[in-house]
Amino acid sequence: MTKEGSAQTLMILGASGDLTARLLLPGLGALLAAGDAPPVTLVGAGMDEWDAGRWQDRVRKAFGEHADAGQAAPTLAGTRYARADVTSADDLRRLLDGADGAVSIFFALPPAVTVKACEALLEVGLPEGTRLVLEKPFGTSASSAASLNRLLNRLAPEERIHRVDHFLGKSTVLNILGLRFANRIFEPLLGSEHVESVDIVFDEQLALEGRAGYYDKAGALADMIQSHLLQILALLTMEAPLSLDPAVFRDATAEALRATRLWGGDAKTSSLRARYAGYAGEPGVDPARETETLAEIVLAVDNWRWAGVPFRLRSGKALGTGRKEAVVTFKHPPRIPSGFRGPDQPDRLRISFGPDRLALDFDINGPGDPFVLDPVTLEAEFGPGGLPPYGEVLRGVFEDDPLLSVRGDTAEQCWRIVEPVTSAWRAGQVPLLEYEAGGSGPEESLLSPTRTAG
Ligand code: NDP
């Protein structure tokens, strides 16, 4: 393990891109300003002919309020940019020759370029201890993810390969584990005996935001469900890990995902795809690709604890209301004593993400007539994480802590789970529906209806 305080080089390949400017550099700035970060030499590499001043301006702007704090100031003063074609072994060799200390290579590149860069790195050879940091999408299928894993394993051991999932910050992961395993209240209820169904939803109000080049080739299923929402499903369904040690934790999530498959094995009844009206006319979109901007799938976690409970996952863009939450709907009580009146709605545990919140909805006696039941909600806020998600990701990389990184076999499992859906969609077996931008999504939704007030 690299000690805090020892020299590090963060080499960003694809430094002139969107991810670098919008997420990666701000996360680095916050981490460096936080005070306990190691000194980091930042090297940006890209195709564009940028001079040192232009690169430094970009880094300063992205560091924002953190630019002069802690380790951020020396990193900013010492950062450099190199023009490089990262698919060229000669260019990569030049870059690596000038690197100090432990090197972390961040592939902020289009996925196909990342593969070529890794192939070129095989020719170059990596300094001992180099870490590789890869973005989603990790492959496009179980077999392409497996072949990328084989390539990466020729470059570095698994513990130094970080497959980033920035959606789940460390605090969210720990919040879910704490909620489930640090008290006796919820865990005994979480299983098929008491749970009717679970919905995991990521609805965005944002539409394409000029990212058609990426999104039109990915779509909601690959962009969100195959990666992030399956990680949440794993956290909600896994058995209690013995410790928070990353190796133990990753075994437990892998086990849950290995048990996960499409509900009933039929994509016609267990998946839905749709795009918002107007998507086909957005600049950069090829309507013939029939890319979905909203996807829903229903999964079974086919093990002793969860057999028979449907897990409905959904993600969509351009919706009227943003919603990022997991909702556990409980079964009805076996029998409510005759004489009680009023609404009889299912009890629900709702876990919202970013900011993380908890709400428990259930019915109790309302004010006034004690024979009449009323819905109430108990709520709690989780403490916010100290760093933005990419700050946490980079801290994990510098400390060789893979807690937030998806293990190679798990990345393959996640593709295995969605593959029956992608094949059925490609074969035209599931119609592409349309929904109004700014609305609530298609009427045919497979999600459970939301609880109505009062
Ligand atoms: P961009 O297209 O904005 O950036 C990619 C960068 O790579 C560009 O600066 C491009 O330079 C550079 N590049 C391409 N080919 C080469 C090459 N041969 N040598 C050197 N540089 C090269 O993509 P993003 O930043 O949006 O995405 C990067 C990765 O991050 C992708 O895998 C994406 O899926 C992932 N990601 C992105 C998110 C985001 O919000 N942007 C969120 C989550 C994941 P040039 O423009 O000059 O060709």
Side-chain angles (χ1 to χ4, degrees):
M1 170 167 300
T2 305
K3 285 196 225 78
E4 271 186 15
S6 53
Q8 306 263 347
T9 292
L10 174 62
M11 190 173 284
I12 303 179
L13 310 184
S16 51
D18 178 69
L19 177 84
T20 304
R22 231 163 29 83
L23 296 170
L24 190 49
L25 291 176
L28 177 67
L31 173 64
L32 292 172
D36 56 351
V40 173
T41 305
L42 175 64
V43 179
M47 289 288 244
D48 300 84
E49 293 283 0
W50 283 11
D51 60 21
R54 178 154 180 202
W55 169 243
Q56 253 187 353
D57 284 349
R58 168 161 283 209
V59 179
R60 173 176 291 283
K61 197 165 156 223
F63 280 9
E65 55 175 335
H66 301 302
D68 299 316
Q71 291 292 339
T75 295
L76 182 57
T79 187
R80 58 192 173 82
Y81 177 85
R83 197 211 160 267
D85 174 356
V86 302
T87 63
S88 143
D90 287 341
D91 285 10
L92 287 169
R93 196 171 289 115
R94 243 190 317 276
L95 276 175
L96 284 166
D97 278 349
D100 306 320
V103 182
S104 304
I105 303 179
F106 202 116
F107 298 88
L109 298 163
V113 182
T114 297
V115 174
K116 285 193 187 141
C118 289
E119 285 163 351
L121 284 171
L122 272 181
E123 277 179 57
V124 177
L126 291 177
E128 183 59 31
T130 300
R131 305 157 185 134
L132 305 175
V133 194
L134 288 103
E135 268 298 332
K136 69 160 193 184
F138 187 85
T140 52
S141 61
S143 65
S144 62
S147 98
L148 183 51
N149 277 332
R150 282 193 295 275
L151 175 59
L152 292 169
N153 289 334
R154 292 170 67 195
L155 286 168
E158 176 65 31
E159 63 270 19
R160 286 206 286 276
I161 300 169
H162 294 260
R163 298 169 195 80
V164 169
D165 190 333
H166 77 279
F167 181 75
L168 284 188
K170 197 169 198 163
S171 51
T172 298
V173 172
L174 296 176
N175 286 343
I176 297 179
L177 294 184
L179 167 70
R180 289 192 58 200
F181 303 123
N183 63 77
R184 296 188 78 113
I185 312 294
F186 298 107
E187 195 49 28
L189 299 178
L190 295 179
S192 60
E193 195 184 338
H194 298 290
V195 173
E196 181 75 44
S197 65
V198 178
D199 291 358
I200 302 174
V201 179
F202 185 90
D203 280 355
E204 285 182 284
Q205 288 174 298
L206 293 178
L208 259 191
E209 304 295 300
R211 296 196 63 225
Y214 160 72
Y215 194 83
D216 198 42
K217 293 195 191 94
L221 183 66
D223 183 47
M224 289 303 304
I225 294 182
Q226 181 274 339
S227 49
H228 308 314
L229 301 197
L230 283 179
Q231 295 303 316
I232 293 178
L233 174 130
L235 281 169
L236 289 172
T237 57
M238 67 197 253
E239 295 304 321
L242 273 184
S243 74
L244 299 179
D245 181 273
V248 176
F249 168 77
R250 298 207 300 177
D251 279 347
T253 53
E255 181 79 23
L257 289 166
R258 268 200 296 275
T260 303
R261 59 197 89 253
L262 191 63
W263 183 262
D266 183 0
K268 291 197 276 301
T269 48
S270 295
S271 77
L272 174 150
R273 59 180 181 140
R275 64 183 177 191
Y276 63 81
Y279 175 78
E282 297 260 23
V285 166
D286 175 1
R289 270 202 197 100
E290 298 210 320
T291 301
E292 80 287 355
T293 58
L294 182 145
E296 294 183 7
I297 60 173
V298 188
L299 298 174
V301 180
D302 213 358
N303 58 20
W304 183 284
R305 182 196 279 262
W306 291 109
V309 178
F311 287 78
R312 308 186 187 103
L313 277 53
R314 144 154 154 171
S315 182
K317 281 193 177 292
L319 290 158
T321 315
R323 189 178 161 212
K324 277 196 219 179
E325 62 177 0
V327 182
V328 178
T329 301
F330 292 95
K331 290 181 174 168
H332 278 264
R335 185 168 184 279
I336 297 178
S338 313
F340 275 130
R341 302 190 303 277
D344 177 18
Q345 302 197 56
D347 307 328
R348 290 208 159 124
L349 173 65
R350 290 184 278 127
I351 306 165
S352 320
F353 305 109
D356 295 357
R357 263 197 217 107
L358 170 72
L360 184 65
D361 301 327
F362 56 104
D363 294 333
I364 55 166
N365 311 62
D369 185 346
F371 288 96
V372 177
L373 299 174
D374 253 356
V376 290
T377 300
L378 299 184
E379 287 180 285
E381 307 247 337
F382 292 101
L387 286 174
Y390 268 87
E392 289 180 337
V393 164
L394 289 171
R395 190 204 292 265
V397 171
F398 295 147
E399 293 178 1
D400 285 320
D401 171 0
L403 186 80
L404 290 186
S405 142
V406 176
R407 206 170 63 188
D409 58 322
T410 301
E412 293 172 35
Q413 284 296 325
C414 291
W415 284 114
R416 192 265 307 151
I417 292 165
V418 300
E419 263 171 6
V421 176
T422 44
S423 320
W425 289 6
R426 234 178 278 125
Q429 290 168 4
V430 177
L432 179 66
L433 307 174
E434 193 169 89
Y435 61 98
E436 284 307 312
S440 56
E443 278 173 15
E444 296 84 343
S445 174
L446 307 169
L447 295 184
S448 23
T450 18
R451 187 180 162 109
T452 49

